[in-house]
Amino acid sequence: MASLTAHPSEALSGTLQVPGDKSISHRALMLGTLAVGRTSISGLLEGEDVLNTAAAMRALGAEITRDVDGLWQVWGRGVGGLREPDDVLDFGNSGTGARLAMGLVAGQAINAVFTGDASLRRRPMARIMRPLEQMGVRFVAREGGRLPLTVSGPQALMPVTYRLPVASAQVKSAILLAGIAAPGKTTVVEPEPTRDHSERILRHFGAAVEVGDGEDGRHVILTGEAELTAAPVNIPADPSSAAFPLVAALLLPGSEITLPAVGMNPLRTGLFRTLREMGAELEEENARREAGEPVADLRVRAGRLQAVTVPAERAPSMIDEYPILAVAAACAEGTTRLEGLAELRVKESDRLAAMARGLQACGVEVEEGRDSLAIHGCGGRPPGGATIEADLDHRIAMSFLVMGLCAERAVSVDDAGPINTSFPGFTEAMGGLGAGLRGDGTT
Ligand code: S3P
């Protein structure tokens, strides 16, 4: 385990190219695998989560290479053309990799065994199994629908109409990926809209996806037995990773930084909206589109933040950003209330409990509810001076390192290794802006 310590820092400045979007990177590799022809991907996130997905796609028969200039090439097998992997598929820490790949395998008449690290093996998979079973897929899983599990794709998959019981882009995407191989229309109804990268990239590869609003929510309708054609993908910087330097710059007086080409998909930008409500100065420049996704350069200046109440309905658009928002709230003036957080309990760790425990260890007063968190802001630097257990959770690790930069005393995380899943080079990137991060030098 490599520990890392963040020391109280002064103003940050400069430009930081944040690594590629994790959600879109997984999808680009998977769609490239199902498409006919060669898909070129630029800006692919080269973090462990995505590298595990690349390894799984190779095991399913895709040919995937990386050019010296960092461009990735995927030679796909065509829908229905995947081969049975001759070993277990290990998705490491990644719920997105494992869950979306279950949808992919569902459409092939093959068996595949899925596993992951200790964090992924405790996360719920029944939410994926239920709809795919309705489509004809068979699973054998551990008690409680946990990994390792075996997926058996049927000879003939059936289309479904499925209403999501939890707001989850992963469940929606697994059903859509399976639906590509099913005859007729596969429909997902989501009561709360979740990130729509799958819908966008499916269209980019030539699939017919219609989206409409019904009384019961948003209907996403995919026409099955689709022919997918390889298409180039330019992946934007990940807004969820940009959130860490962005919040650090907001909190350290005198800071001014630029983050180029950040994904601005409106179903991902709940954090930016919330920070603006708190008084943050965030400017978007050069707004443009890349592979069907909106992108802009973000310019951030430090400023004082005021507490807000974040409503439950905003949760899907900022689900991965609550840990870093909680750090911003700890430095703001007043009490910030976060609601509708039940899903945080089944992420890479129980993030609600981890944030409450970690903030308290840093001298911040909090109240943890079943699905809510109230944070009493310090109106400046919190005391800090704690060591936080990351519990295999990259976002908990990075959030508390930002806390250490903005606190009165240093904050350490016991194991910074998981940061490599989503933000390789985090220490060097933050150091380049002037942040004081020191450790064993492994991230
Ligand atoms: C993701 C969806 C979200 C998010 C995860 C990535 C995706 O998970 O937390 O980091 O790429 O579809 P849920 O579907 O569980 O909400």
Side-chain angles (χ1 to χ4, degrees):
M1 284 212 289
S3 67
L4 192 59
T5 299
H7 296 271
S9 296
E10 304 298 324
L12 302 185
S13 65
T15 297
L16 167 57
Q17 182 58 59
V18 169
D21 189 280
K22 185 149 69 70
S23 291
I24 302 174
S25 294
H26 286 296
R27 288 161 170 81
L29 289 170
M30 292 187 192
L31 268 286
T33 296
L34 284 182
V36 175
R38 181 182 57 139
T39 291
S40 296
I41 309 170
S42 68
L44 187 86
L45 170 63
E46 295 179 342
E48 284 166 8
D49 278 9
V50 174
L51 297 179
N52 283 325
T53 289
M57 295 305 111
R58 282 191 187 109
L60 289 163
E63 192 185 327
I64 303 180
T65 58
R66 180 190 188 278
D67 299 347
V68 274
D69 56 1
L71 197 68
W72 286 68
Q73 313 281 3
V74 183
W75 282 265
R77 305 276 301 191
V79 175
L82 304 197
R83 69 157 187 246
E84 186 166 279
D86 56 15
D87 203 351
V88 172
L89 303 176
D90 187 345
F91 288 90
N93 192 249
S94 179
T96 309
R99 290 177 173 143
L100 269 57
M102 285 177 202
L104 199 81
V105 167
Q108 323 287 321
I110 58 173
N111 299 311
V113 185
F114 285 59
T115 194
D117 71 5
S119 158
L120 190 56
R121 280 185 274 112
R122 65 188 177 221
R123 297 180 67 186
M125 296 298 151
R127 54 179 60 193
I128 301 287
M129 292 159 57
R130 254 179 254 122
L132 294 184
E133 276 167 352
Q134 287 182 20
M135 298 177 87
V137 181
R138 280 179 301 124
F139 288 89
V140 180
R142 278 173 58 225
E143 174 66 28
R146 315 274 154 182
L147 298 183
L149 60 71
T150 304
V151 185
S152 292
Q155 289 297 336
L157 201 66
M158 290 171 289
V160 275
T161 293
Y162 192 79
R163 189 170 191 278
L164 296 185
V166 283
S168 167
Q170 292 176 356
V171 178
K172 171 177 66 178
S173 302
I175 299 167
L176 294 176
L177 285 171
I180 294 170
K185 302 211 178 213
T186 290
T187 303
V188 180
V189 180
E190 39 179 16
E192 302 275 359
T194 66
R195 66 188 68 192
D196 61 357
H197 303 305
S198 297
E199 294 90 309
R200 288 173 189 255
I201 202 165
L202 276 163
R203 284 199 196 106
H204 186 63
F205 277 75
V209 183
E210 294 153 51
V211 178
D213 285 321
E215 266 177 22
D216 50 352
R218 192 167 165 267
H219 290 225
V220 181
I221 306 160
L222 170 84
T223 304
E225 292 180 322
E227 274 291 307
L228 299 180
T229 310
V233 185
N234 233 341
I235 298 185
D238 196 324
S240 300
S241 298
F244 300 103
L246 186 149
V247 167
L250 283 175
L251 295 177
L252 292 170
S255 297
E256 181 166 349
I257 65 166
T258 302
L259 305 168
V262 177
M264 298 300 290
N265 182 314
L267 294 166
R268 291 287 296 282
T269 49
L271 174 75
F272 303 157
R273 176 169 174 195
T274 302
L275 290 170
R276 284 187 173 119
E277 285 174 7
M278 294 174 86
E281 238 190 278
L282 302 179
E283 274 173 48
E284 289 166 38
E285 293 167 354
N286 298 320
R288 55 204 185 270
R289 281 178 93 77
E290 303 278 10
E293 292 279 350
V295 169
D297 304 331
L298 278 184
R299 189 187 288 277
V300 190
R301 281 189 202 84
R304 294 192 75 77
L305 299 182
Q306 304 293 328
V308 282
T309 294
V310 184
E313 57 274 16
R314 200 175 298 166
S317 68
M318 52 179 295
I319 192 67
D320 294 331
E321 282 65 76
Y322 284 102
I324 190 62
L325 175 65
V327 172
C331 302
E333 269 166 47
T335 300
T336 292
R337 294 179 200 282
L338 312 178
E339 289 158 5
L341 307 186
E343 276 294 298
L344 292 193
R345 297 213 181 265
V346 289
K347 292 295 176 188
E348 285 82 329
S349 70
D350 176 346
R351 287 188 175 153
L352 189 40
M355 290 316 298
R357 224 176 19 242
L359 289 174
Q360 275 163 346
C362 291
V364 181
E365 225 184 289
V366 302
E367 283 128 44
E368 178 187 348
R370 198 174 43 84
D371 66 351
S372 65
L373 190 63
I375 301 158
H376 301 281
C378 300
R381 287 185 181 261
T387 296
I388 306 297
E389 277 179 32
D391 196 16
L392 290 177
D393 191 326
H394 53 134
R395 298 201 200 281
I396 294 298
M398 287 186 276
S399 297
F400 280 102
L401 290 169
V402 171
M403 168 65 103
L405 304 177
C406 306
E408 280 169 2
R409 283 179 295 138
V411 175
S412 300
V413 295
D414 65 337
D415 180 14
I419 294 173
N420 282 327
T421 61
S422 68
F423 201 147
F426 175 76
T427 308
E428 296 75 14
M430 294 297 289
L433 297 175
L437 291 179
R438 277 185 284 285
D440 302 344
T442 49
T443 60

